[in-house]
Amino acid sequence: MFQHALQGLAEEQSVRWPALLKADAKFTATGTLDAALASYTRLAAERVRQRVVDVAEGAGPARWFCCTRPVRSPTTATPAGRELLAGLQQAARRPADTPHGLWLLLPTEDPRATPTLDGRTVELVNRATKWEVLDGVFLKDLG
């Protein structure tokens, strides 16, 4: 969703997508975020946040959201991408806010390891009740 929002912004403003990918690669390599990329990621994050809220509100009382592919796509590791996820996480903890709940699915090699996204620990309120490992048996039963 973040990447689609970023691509939409690039198209609207006639910015070549390869140029944004190059800026993202530079950010990944150096950790330095240039002003133009920072601006694009802030706008993209706001669009994603609004889209999540719109979809969740349209769902009625079950206003929760499931993020199935949060792993690094272009620029999600930027401050705007991290703030987007943190803001959704905080909103999901407040009953009056939308989305009312948030599921964040993170692939991992070690299901006992602390969940991370882009090398950063994902905040958990209560590991015993807020974290579930979906193993192969569970996933097979879904199919």
Side-chain angles (χ1 to χ4, degrees):
M1 193 180 285
F2 194 88
Q3 182 174 347
H4 292 292
L6 199 58
Q7 286 175 314
L9 281 168
E11 190 175 303
E12 288 169 22
Q13 297 182 10
S14 300
V15 172
R16 292 181 22 252
W17 182 243
L20 279 177
L21 291 178
K22 185 176 178 181
D24 180 56
K26 181 180 176 186
F27 166 65
T28 300
T30 66
T32 302
L33 183 64
D34 69 44
L37 186 58
S39 175
Y40 272 94
T41 59
R42 276 192 305 275
L43 290 169
E46 179 51 35
R47 286 185 179 190
V48 170
R49 186 201 65 74
Q50 189 58 56
R51 176 76 176 128
V52 167
V53 168
D54 291 348
V55 168
E57 286 177 346
R63 300 171 302 175
W64 59 274
F65 186 76
C66 182
C67 186
T68 58
R69 293 188 339 186
V71 294
R72 189 161 177 13
S73 62
T75 64
T76 56
T78 63
R82 289 191 305 269
E83 289 169 14
L84 168 66
L85 185 55
L88 291 172
Q89 205 175 17
Q90 290 167 3
R93 292 183 181 134
R94 294 186 295 262
D97 286 356
T98 302
H100 183 65
L102 177 69
W103 286 71
L104 180 64
L105 302 181
L106 299 168
T108 183
E109 294 293 323
D110 181 2
R112 294 173 306 279
T114 300
T116 62
L117 181 60
D118 293 328
R120 295 177 183 259
T121 299
V122 174
E123 176 190 344
L124 296 170
V125 174
N126 181 330
R127 188 175 182 134
T129 62
K130 303 293 183 188
W131 177 7
E132 186 65 41
V133 174
L134 305 179
D135 59 18
V137 174
F138 175 86
L139 297 174
K140 183 178 177 185
D141 288 345
L142 285 177

